[in-house]
Amino acid sequence: MDQDKLSILKSCFGYTSFRPGQEAVIDALLAGRDALAVMPTGAGKSLCYQIPALLLEGITVIISPLISLMKDQVNALEDAEIPAAYLNSSLSPDEYSDTIFRAVQGDIKILYIAPERLQRGLPPQLVEAQEIAMVVIDEAHCISQWGHDFRPSYLYITDFIRQLPKRPITAAFTATATGKVREDIMSILDLEEPYTIITGFNRENLYFEVQRPKDKFQALMEILRSRKNKSGIIYCSTRKSVEEISRTLSDRGFAATRYHAGLDDGERHRNQDDFIYDRKTIMVATNAFGMGIDKSNVSFVIHYNMPKNIESYYQEAGRAGRDGEAADCILLYSPQDVRINQFLIHNGQDDEAEKDEARIEHNLELLKAMTFYATSPDCLRSRLLGYFGETAPHYCGNCSNCNTVFEDIDITIPAQKIISCVYRIEQQGRRFGKAMIVNILRGSKLEKIKTLALDKLSTYGIMADMDAHRIRTMLDYLVEQKYLAVSADEYPVVYLVPKSKEIIVEKQPLSMKLPKEQKRKTEQPLREEETYTGTAGTGFGSDESGRTSGAGLGRRSQSARSDYGPSSALEPGDEGLFTRLKELRTRLAQEAHVPPYIIFSDASLRDMCRKRPVNREQFLQVSGVGSVKLDKYGEVFISLIADT
Ligand code: ADP
Ligand code: MG
């Protein structure tokens, strides 16, 4: 064979070396073994099966959950002149039979297929004419009910494989899989002694931050202000807030668009394309947006609301920085995000299965872990990695907690006050949620407090001199440390547990890490166009805590991270060339009707700025340039570089 994995890596994909894990998976598949690979977003899973697919005799079938993802991958392969195609509901009957015909002829090596389409089986003439050498299940977590994107049609994959005349190599890939989900993948797909690889989940180029703003919209404006011209996604939990925020951003001159399941197909596609083709830099969306969208230059992902579990969060946030460049993942947390999620878990969304007891319990546990992430003073990266079962150092230096000055604070007395308050409430035969407890401790004048005579409690107002946010942080900590418990029903209430005694009876000393109380920055006067008066929240009212920024107090300056993460930033003086390269790429992409990143990634353009190739040989050295891209694009790019 004149082609081997390394020559294909260079000639078809333009890369000179494998990323961690890729080669081992490729070797296992080429040796005929099944495989299960859990690798983070952006790790390069596609190459792990595309390269073997080109080397194995016969066709490789790839099951992929989203039409946009298939289209993207096939576009990219076709641009490198690799014989690939897809079968899904977007094809007309003619296109469908044409694709089948090409496949029967042996003109297709890589065939993407939607699970729903596969459920109806492949045409017999195809299975007779060509050997299916390998079946690849991309986004394999979709097969598990315990995953976050369960797709019932994935369950039919096993039947499909069993019906084939010869059992193909079976390979499953996913970015997020907890132990339970991994077991499901193995057993449902019937993987035979698979080569299993779980590369670290860590994505070094991502910066993680949690803010607890008093006014989320204002916080959002601040974040966006320092990221002009950068591409990013803002995730909201409801369609309504997507509408409000995208409209307000557009009114203020941001190039923003929107995406949620309530829009008609036409608009969804248009908006998605505007974002992918860089015509709009900001996408405001619900979680309906993004799975399988391989836009490599997303430089920030902001969560306007906290998602319901860490798996979803990490997957959504992980859409930032796929190109390996430094990128930011910022969560804007408020306590009502927790309540909304609890409500959604209890009332099921549209899915009946969501309502069974065990599942509700399970989902509430996942929500708890997410809430701890949002409220913890620990290294955020180590929290995330810990959740996926990885041990990580307690300090990463690239998250808002590591960059915040924390101090060990003695909270013995405040803890006694908080727990005593819960005790007094229980004495009255009542239980309340966290927000109410904070209100009582601060001596709130709420109507409800008067009517229930809670202002007569001996603990009413005993923490009036402390900021609500700080009390809440301590209360959260007491729950996390199990000195108090929270019920798991729809309106969760706080109650005493045997361990509470250690604080109020045994008077045990207690301390916790809290952000150093800094002198509040003199409030920056809002500029006129940034005074926001709408209710771009969730429609559930505003945050009851009284702070502009909590866990995210120590915001890192933009320059502080330059010594961290990848060193692929532009040299000063290269911006002009970079812009012109981007313009050329956009023009070529328009001519070919593909997104710009299908032609070259930003990383490739940056490498061109660095290497400034003047001939074909040098152009081939650029990362992402293989022989096909060299022939197609070499000349125009080389002459542009020479002219600049
Ligand atoms: P995943 O499916 O794991 O999220 P992809 O397969 O979409 O990731 O790859 C992410 C990006 O990394 C793509 O732009 C791809 O071209 C690039 N890539 C993959 N393998 C390599 C490699 N060995 N060297 C450089 N870039 C790579
Ligand atoms: Mg992928």
Side-chain angles (χ1 to χ4, degrees):
M1 213 186 299
D2 55 347
Q3 288 273 59
D4 60 27
K5 60 189 179 196
L6 264 173
S7 66
I8 290 184
L9 179 69
K10 182 60 202 167
S11 67
C12 297
F13 300 100
Y15 303 129
T16 42
S17 57
F18 285 110
R19 291 214 183 127
Q22 284 181 324
E23 194 168 13
V25 176
I26 291 170
D27 287 344
L29 295 176
L30 287 176
R33 263 184 93 172
D34 285 356
L36 167 61
V38 184
M39 298 160 91
T41 308
K45 290 184 283 297
S46 317
L47 283 195
C48 296
Y49 53 80
Q50 287 167 346
I51 289 180
L54 295 176
L55 289 167
L56 293 166
E57 291 291 330
I59 295 183
T60 288
V61 169
I62 296 159
I63 296 134
S64 169
L66 268 198
I67 293 176
S68 57
L69 175 125
M70 274 183 236
K71 193 157 170 287
D72 242 32
Q73 298 251 333
V74 170
N75 275 338
L77 291 169
E78 282 179 333
D79 199 59
E81 289 175 10
I82 294 168
Y86 56 79
L87 294 176
N88 60 40
S89 58
S90 76
L91 296 184
S92 67
D94 277 353
E95 288 168 328
Y96 181 80
S97 36
D98 180 55
T99 304
I100 297 295
F101 179 75
R102 280 163 57 214
V104 170
Q105 299 290 315
D107 291 340
I108 288 174
K109 285 298 285 180
I110 300 183
L111 183 64
Y112 283 84
I113 183 163
E116 292 76 16
R117 170 65 67 172
L118 192 74
Q119 202 174 328
R120 286 183 259 153
L122 283 182
Q125 71 266 35
L126 171 57
V127 180
E128 277 157 31
Q130 297 291 334
E131 184 188 331
I132 309 285
M134 177 162 72
V135 171
V136 172
I137 299 93
D138 204 4
E139 312 289 349
H141 57 275
C142 291
I143 208 168
S144 171
Q145 297 221 37
W146 304 110
H148 51 91
D149 278 316
F150 176 54
R151 282 280 278 260
S153 48
Y154 262 62
L155 295 172
Y156 291 90
I157 297 172
T158 323
D159 290 341
F160 163 73
I161 293 174
R162 287 210 188 100
Q163 283 160 20
L164 294 173
K166 181 167 171 244
R167 187 184 184 280
I169 301 165
T170 308
F173 291 84
T174 175
T176 55
T178 52
K180 220 166 176 167
V181 174
R182 276 203 295 275
E183 277 167 33
D184 270 2
I185 295 174
M186 299 249 265
S187 66
I188 298 174
L189 286 174
D190 226 352
L191 298 182
E192 284 174 11
E193 295 177 21
Y195 172 78
T196 303
I197 181 167
I198 302 169
T199 60
F201 281 90
N202 190 18
R203 306 249 330 262
E204 284 198 355
N205 59 320
L206 298 186
Y207 165 80
F208 292 97
E209 173 167 336
V210 178
Q211 289 189 31
R212 302 164 159 215
K214 186 172 168 194
D215 178 340
K216 282 194 181 185
F217 191 80
Q218 197 188 321
L220 179 67
M221 293 306 298
E222 275 207 21
I223 295 169
L224 296 181
R225 209 184 305 166
S226 58
R227 289 170 178 76
K228 289 249 162 72
N229 301 322
K230 294 207 166 161
S231 191
I233 305 173
I234 300 166
Y235 278 111
C236 306
S237 61
T238 64
R239 295 175 188 182
K240 186 168 165 255
S241 36
V242 167
E243 298 285 337
E244 288 173 353
I245 291 172
S246 61
R247 193 175 342 108
T248 314
L249 290 180
S250 301
D251 289 349
R252 290 179 188 199
F254 287 94
T257 185
R258 60 183 183 169
Y259 190 105
H260 61 68
L263 300 173
D264 64 62
D265 278 2
E267 182 179 350
R268 276 213 310 273
H269 279 125
R270 260 195 325 278
N271 295 352
Q272 175 174 322
D273 281 354
D274 279 346
F275 180 63
I276 286 176
Y277 288 76
D278 290 333
R279 293 189 288 260
K280 295 279 168 72
T281 52
I282 297 174
M283 171 58 90
V284 187
T286 60
N287 62 5
F289 177 76
M291 186 176 165
I293 287 175
D294 178 19
K295 181 172 162 61
S296 58
N297 63 338
V298 174
S299 94
F300 59 86
V301 172
I302 298 166
H303 277 79
Y304 201 77
N305 303 104
M306 183 181 78
K308 62 177 192 279
N309 59 51
I310 288 185
E311 274 174 284
S312 308
Y313 180 67
Y314 202 54
Q315 179 150 63
E316 286 158 17
R319 293 187 179 121
R322 290 182 77 126
D323 53 7
E325 303 288 315
D328 300 330
C329 309
I330 303 172
L331 168 63
L332 301 181
Y333 168 84
S334 79
Q336 28 332 355
D337 294 338
V338 184
R339 288 200 290 280
I340 293 163
N341 278 310
Q342 278 163 343
F343 176 84
L344 291 176
I345 289 172
H346 278 284
N347 295 285
Q349 273 137 325
D350 34 20
D351 184 359
E352 271 308 306
E354 296 259 341
K355 287 184 191 155
D356 90 61
E357 283 297 316
R359 217 177 144 72
I360 288 178
E361 194 108 335
H362 177 73
N363 288 339
L364 287 173
E365 277 306 309
L366 299 185
L367 175 62
K368 229 185 240 176
M370 182 72 232
T371 311
F372 287 156
Y373 171 84
T375 54
S376 158
D378 299 341
C379 169
L380 294 174
R381 181 172 264 101
S382 77
R383 278 264 160 181
L384 290 171
L385 297 179
Y387 177 83
F388 292 109
E390 260 180 54
T391 43
H394 295 302
Y395 178 86
C396 77
N398 196 28
C399 74
S400 57
N401 282 351
C402 284
N403 294 355
T404 297
V405 189
F406 284 98
E407 49 191 357
D408 253 320
I409 303 276
D410 182 344
I411 60 160
T412 311
I413 302 294
Q416 288 170 7
K417 288 180 178 172
I418 293 169
I419 295 182
S420 307
C421 185
V422 178
Y423 174 69
R424 294 295 172 202
I425 294 169
E426 287 196 3
Q427 270 189 329
Q428 282 206 346
R430 296 182 198 277
R431 285 178 176 179
F432 291 113
K434 288 177 179 174
M436 191 60 165
I437 293 169
V438 173
N439 282 332
I440 297 171
L441 285 162
R442 297 196 73 224
S444 153
K445 301 267 183 283
L446 273 180
E447 198 50 43
K448 188 173 171 190
I449 290 190
K450 275 215 193 95
T451 28
L452 295 178
L454 297 168
D455 51 356
K456 303 284 177 302
L457 290 179
S458 60
T459 49
Y460 176 79
I462 52 171
M463 296 180 86
D465 56 347
M466 195 183 281
D467 168 307
H469 177 273
R470 211 167 172 87
I471 304 178
R472 176 62 188 252
T473 308
M474 292 176 185
L475 177 52
D476 284 339
Y477 181 75
L478 291 171
V479 171
E480 196 188 341
Q481 297 298 312
K482 302 197 163 53
Y483 290 108
L484 286 171
V486 174
S487 67
D489 40 28
E490 195 174 331
Y491 299 99
V493 291
V494 180
Y495 58 92
L496 295 180
V497 287
K499 202 177 165 194
S500 312
K501 268 207 219 105
E502 293 175 18
I503 304 290
I504 44 174
V505 180
E506 294 159 27
K507 312 244 185 265
Q508 214 179 73
L510 190 66
S511 66
M512 74 178 286
K513 278 205 282 179
L514 281 168
K516 201 167 183 152
E517 281 204 284
Q518 303 184 341
K519 271 190 226 103
R520 200 174 287 216
K521 277 190 297 192
T522 38
E523 289 286 322
Q524 291 202 338
L526 278 182
R527 278 190 271 145
E528 181 60 50
E529 78 274 15
E530 274 152 7
T531 319
Y532 181 69
T533 46
T535 48
T538 51
F540 285 75
S542 69
D543 189 345
E544 85 261 59
S545 72
R547 276 286 267 283
T548 26
S549 169
L553 253 185
R555 264 195 256 131
R556 151 217 63 158
S557 69
Q558 285 289 322
S559 59
R561 66 170 164 195
S562 57
D563 51 8
Y564 189 90
S567 57
S568 47
L570 280 179
E571 295 287 322
D574 281 349
E575 287 91 357
L577 176 57
F578 186 64
T579 309
R580 296 191 62 192
L581 291 172
K582 271 186 14 190
E583 285 162 6
L584 174 57
R585 177 179 66 175
T586 305
R587 188 161 60 72
L588 294 170
Q590 274 161 358
E591 283 164 17
H593 304 289
V594 294
Y597 59 76
I598 297 286
I599 311 276
F600 283 122
S601 66
D602 282 8
S604 292
L605 299 189
R606 262 186 217 105
D607 205 34
M608 288 179 207
C609 291
R610 219 166 6 239
K611 295 189 171 133
R612 306 226 171 199
V614 295
N615 56 39
R616 285 172 55 88
E617 206 172 275
Q618 291 176 5
F619 195 70
L620 197 55
Q621 304 303 310
V622 172
S623 170
V625 177
S627 49
V628 174
K629 301 241 178 204
L630 170 67
D631 287 343
K632 273 193 176 167
Y633 309 121
E635 212 169 301
V636 276
F637 279 91
I638 290 169
S639 62
L640 175 70
I641 292 166
D643 284 350
T644 305

